[in-house]
Amino acid sequence: MMHPVYLPFSEEQLLSHFTDINKNGRCVKNVKHLRYYKQSIERYVNYLKNNPIARGKPLKDTRTPCQIEKDERFWTASCLMTIFYSQHRAVDLTKLFIKAYGNTPPLKGVNSWEECLEGELHLFLKPNLPSPESYKRWLRENLTKRHFIPHVLNSADGKVNLEGPTNVDAMFLNSKNGFAVIIEAKVLSDISYDVTYDTIRNQIARNVDVMLEENRKLCPPLNKRDPEKTLFLLITPKLFRDNPSSRLYGYKMREYKTNPESLAADLPHRSCNWEEISKRLGWLTWEDFKDVNKNCCLWLNK
């Protein structure tokens, strides 16, 4: 295993959860993510070996080598892979989804969580989802309504793409029926509140936007995702769900859930049934995952 606490899986297992990328018209394995995990683990292990007593160490010395302890990539990979490889995967996921969305999936024509999970389930880490063309067109036409700094506006002149792909933290995808859950995971950080050319495009709105878009040109099986059967899930520490005003995502999730039309204000290029979309947004904590499967988030045992 790569690390007994923060990533108790093999390199081969981890690599299998990164999506293929389109390179010169061919779908090939994306190995760059693997290097990040290996280097982080190596730094951490070496630091602990050379510094067996951690108390009193200044943060300037521990911040980089101990990044793994608060790294969303590790928390996400370890927790979700534990669920994915569980002998009771369908049961575990059903319990979690019921807690996040209710007893019945908030999706048209879908009657049960069992129906969502029957088929060929995949877990992808850090998949890229293209920015919707409708948003990029809208932004080009409304750029001065979303930004006001001259040199930024000047740099946009002549650019075709004013927003790159959204790198979501994880995704569960059933390639047989198109059901998917797009996941945004947080440990200490907050959501971003802007992108380069749009000062008020927050990270949750961006996730919802790509959630609603088809991706037929992506490498399989990502091209099998059905936007009408896709949910958004935020995962955070329980501390911040219990104290939602401590983070921007606390305000935005509350706003989107209690006032669905606020989604329209943040996604002005779309026309949707926002009440239905609002029901497709869920919020779980890392502690929720551990309650369902005790092998999740082993660092929380401390």
Side-chain angles (χ1 to χ4, degrees), residues 277-288:
I277 302 302
S278 173
K279 293 176 182 177
R280 289 160 61 182
L281 312 184
W283 187 349
L284 291 175
T285 70
W286 302 108
E287 289 84 353
D288 290 329

Side-chain angles (χ1 to χ4, degrees), residues 133 136-137 140 156 158-163:
E133 291 297 329
K136 291 190 287 188
R137 285 194 301 270
R140 282 196 297 272
K159 280 193 174 181
V160 176
N161 284 326
L162 295 182
E163 182 181 68

Side-chain angles (χ1 to χ4, degrees), residues 94-106 110-114 116:
T94 297
K95 289 179 180 178
L96 289 163
F97 292 159
I98 287 174
K99 187 173 182 64
Y101 306 102
N103 290 327
T104 304
V110 180
N111 298 313
S112 69
W113 292 111
E114 290 76 11
C116 293

